Structures are given as structure tokens and as C-alpha cells.
Amino acid sequence: MAFYFRLCALAFAVLWSVASPLYLVQGNGCDFSLGDWVLDESHYPLYDASRDCPFIGHGFNCLRNGRPDQDYLKYRWKPSGCDLPRFDGVKFLEKYRGKKIMFVGDSISNNMWQSLTCLLHIAVPKLSYALSTPTKHLSVFSIPEFDASIMWLKNGFLVDVAHDKEKGRIVKLDSIKSGYMWKGDVLIFNTYHWWTHSKESETVQFQIGNEIIKNMDHMEAYKIGLTTWSKWIDANIDPSKTKILFQGIAASHSEGKRCLKETQPEQGPQPPYPGVEIVKNILSNMSCPVYLLDITFLTQLRIDGHPSIYTGKGTSYEDCSHWCLAGAPDAWNQILYAVLLGL
């Protein structure tokens, strides 16, 4: 373990060339997390979900599911201090030729993973691709010409979960046994969505050691679970071989007025979002360098970007948590592109 801590310290100083293991600002001094959504009809959307990305999940293809307005497809994220580089799929594939990139997280990770697969496929539309599910929770998109694989491993809590017939779901806040599956040249983690699900919250229980805690505050549980993850990363990941990123909290609009019939982004300052400070504090105390893809503010503004009733499940179901594709997750991957290519 001490060996990895020494490697982390080296990576802390060299790999990312910044002063803290929590990276929010690029070398050019631009904070990608702050800015505005700008209508850009000349360059957006970056792809046609039905024509250019035939494998996209049905629930994310809002246009195919009957959404009548289309401006939500045409907004570009404009950081306050710079321009976000336009995604170049060929450059991305060249950079990660022979490499593996793995998203580990919940359905919001799936949203981002599907966006990235679409952006890469449209960059090289004539090249063959493969889409497979080797296991129940693992999805793999690959382009053999580049020997590149983009994977999504479904894992909503990151820590271990047990299912008891009598007690229901038990989240083990101090245990990670699935980490052996976290393999790639780039690992992009995410957890938050499942911790706040109302339906999940009704049945979930938390465990520390041998003690099961029935009425723990879910944000306190989130803090403990994420701390367990951070310690696992510090002890087990070699940062000279693997880059670690944390996909920040994507804002939901499931409370209040919800997202139905919203056709334009919000504007102006937004209130603090639950869980964000927990994430930042934990990442800032890690030994290994972790880049925070801080997408909270830009998603708080995109109340128009959710599938709403256009998920293909009928008008009685309104989804104000996930995101239409094309749409907001493409900006998350533009930030990812800028970070991984050092732009």
C-alpha cells in the first residue's frame, strides 16, 4: 500500500502538473464548470441520434419518442473564461488507440457513456464497431480499427450491496469487493443518483461493520460510502498507469415544477446542490490525483434537457433525472475530451 501512496505522490506532482489532487481548472486557467448555454444552430446537435447513432438507448432518444420542440438539441456550453474545444473523435481515438476507458456508475454514467459512443461513431462512420454485453452489468463499445474500447460498468453505489429477502437492500458503507472489475487506462466514476432515489430510499438500509443502521441520513451515508471508495482508490490504483476522473453530480429537476414543457435553459446563479461539497471535500483529501468533471451547475441550468414524458413509456411517466441525446451529456464529453487531451 505504501508503494501506491508513493506513486500517488509522484503523480500528484507530475502527471497533471497542478497543486491539488482535485482538478477543476485546466492549465490555461479556464474553469469549465462555469458558463452559459448558448443557442448554436450552425454546429449543433453534434449528431442525429436516430441516423448517426442507431444503438442509442430508447429512453434517451427524445426526438424519436415524439418530443415536438428541438431547441434542446442546439445548445452549446460556453465556459465563462474560454471556449470549450470542439470534440474531435478521430483525435480522441488516435490518443487512446489500444486503450480502454471505463465508466463505473449508475444510469447517469450510462447517459454519458452512450453520448461518447455516439460522438466516436459519427467521427468514423465507415469503420466497423462492436457493441456487446459480456456480463449483466458490463456494456462494451469498441472500434477494432483503433483497438479502443469504451465500457460502462453498472454500479450505482460503488460500495458493496447485499440483497436480503427479509431486510431488503443493504448498502455496506465500508466494503468494496467489486473493485477487481475496475480496469482501464482511464476510469470515470460516478455515484449519487441511487442514494437519493425516493423509491430506493424507502427500502435501503445501511451497514457499517456488523451493524445495520435503518434510519441513517442518506447524505451522511453518501459521505461514508464515497470516503470508502476514495480510500480504495488511494490504496489500489497505480496513477502512473491509470487516470482517474469523477463524474460530478448531474442535477435532477424531479422536485418542484419538474421539467414538463420546459424548452429553454435556466439562467443566472443557482442554489447549492446537495452532495456537491461532500464530493469536493473527499476528492481534495485523496492522495491520488482525481479530476472532477464538475457538471452540476451546467446541468442545473438545463431543465429543458430531460426526456420528461418522451421516454417511450407513455405520458404518465415523466423523467426529469436523465438526459436527452443529443443534448447536455455531449458537453460533459467535450469537457472530458479537453481534459484527456490536455487542451
Side-chain angles (χ1 to χ4, degrees):
M1 185 178 294
F3 171 72
Y4 283 121
F5 281 131
R6 288 196 295 272
L7 282 174
C8 289
L10 177 62
F12 174 89
V14 177
L15 286 181
W16 296 84
S17 301
V18 292
S20 167
L22 170 62
Y23 304 124
L24 295 168
V25 181
Q26 286 301 98
N28 60 10
C30 183
D31 185 346
F32 292 141
S33 70
L34 300 177
D36 297 285
W37 289 99
V38 179
L39 194 63
D40 186 346
E41 300 188 67
S42 299
H43 301 99
Y44 285 74
L46 297 178
Y47 54 87
D48 181 303
S50 298
R51 185 189 65 230
D52 301 328
C53 196
F55 47 80
I56 196 170
H58 184 70
F60 300 151
N61 195 334
C62 304
L63 198 59
R64 183 177 60 191
N65 293 331
R67 181 165 175 171
D69 62 298
Q70 296 187 23
D71 279 355
Y72 72 93
L73 295 165
K74 304 169 186 176
Y75 282 101
R76 170 173 56 86
W77 178 244
K78 174 65 174 69
S80 299
C82 65
D83 286 316
L84 193 58
R86 187 170 175 82
F87 191 95
D88 187 325
V90 175
K91 282 187 177 181
F92 189 102
L93 289 167
E94 286 288 0
K95 172 76 173 181
Y96 285 92
R97 182 185 291 273
K99 306 292 186 181
K100 292 180 173 61
I101 296 174
M102 175 178 279
F103 291 86
V104 183
D106 55 30
S107 52
I108 305 300
S109 284
N110 184 25
N111 235 169
M112 187 172 177
W113 171 74
Q114 287 203 20
S115 164
L116 182 56
T117 62
C118 290
L119 289 167
L120 294 176
H121 175 57
I122 190 58
V124 287
K126 296 183 179 180
L127 294 185
S128 62
Y129 68 87
L131 189 61
S132 63
T133 52
T135 68
K136 180 181 179 181
H137 296 298
L138 178 63
S139 300
V140 180
F141 174 85
S142 59
I143 299 181
E145 180 76 17
F146 288 88
D147 190 24
S149 297
I150 314 296
M151 301 172 285
W152 169 53
L153 181 64
K154 185 178 180 180
N155 187 330
F157 291 100
L158 298 183
V159 294
D160 293 335
V161 178
H163 297 274
D164 187 279
K165 290 183 179 180
E166 296 181 357
K167 298 176 182 178
R169 175 180 291 180
I170 301 173
V171 180
K172 299 184 176 183
L173 298 178
D174 58 351
S175 175
I176 292 179
K177 295 181 180 178
S178 60
Y180 72 92
M181 301 175 68
W182 302 346
K183 297 179 180 179
D185 300 280
V186 178
L187 296 176
I188 306 164
F189 292 94
N190 169 55
T191 185
Y192 181 76
H193 196 51
W194 286 14
W195 299 84
T196 59
H197 273 186
S198 58
K199 290 183 180 180
E200 301 291 351
S201 301
E202 291 169 4
T203 59
V204 71
Q205 298 178 72
F206 301 105
Q207 181 174 341
I208 300 176
N210 294 321
E211 181 183 3
I212 294 179
I213 307 169
K214 294 183 178 180
N215 298 312
M216 176 178 276
D217 177 81
H218 283 244
M219 283 296 94
E220 179 62 24
Y222 179 62
K223 179 179 179 181
I224 296 171
L226 195 59
T227 299
T228 298
W229 167 83
S230 71
K231 291 179 178 178
W232 191 97
I233 293 295
D234 280 344
N236 292 280
I237 294 296
D238 181 346
S240 69
K241 298 179 180 179
T242 304
K243 291 182 179 179
I244 305 294
L245 300 95
F246 191 88
Q247 179 186 346
I249 296 172
S252 169
H253 295 90
S254 297
E255 305 295 333
K257 65 179 182 178
R258 300 179 65 84
C259 63
L260 182 62
K261 297 183 180 179
E262 295 291 342
T263 60
Q264 295 180 333
E266 303 271 11
Q267 293 184 338
Q270 299 294 308
Y273 200 82
V276 170
E277 288 305 312
I278 291 175
V279 170
K280 290 182 178 180
N281 288 338
I282 289 174
L283 297 189
S284 66
N285 286 313
M286 292 178 66
S287 300
C288 286
V290 178
Y291 187 97
L292 173 61
L293 289 167
D294 189 353
I295 59 175
T296 303
F297 176 68
L298 65 89
T299 53
Q300 282 183 289
L301 297 178
R302 287 305 303 272
I303 192 170
D304 64 309
H306 300 290
S308 184
I309 58 173
Y310 304 105
T311 64
K313 295 182 179 180
T315 57
S316 63
Y317 177 73
E318 184 181 357
D319 183 350
C320 296
S321 297
H322 298 96
W323 302 89
C324 295
L325 294 177
D330 302 326
W332 313 350
N333 280 309
Q334 284 181 277
I335 297 173
L336 176 68
Y337 170 78
V339 172
L340 292 183
L341 273 72
L343 301 176

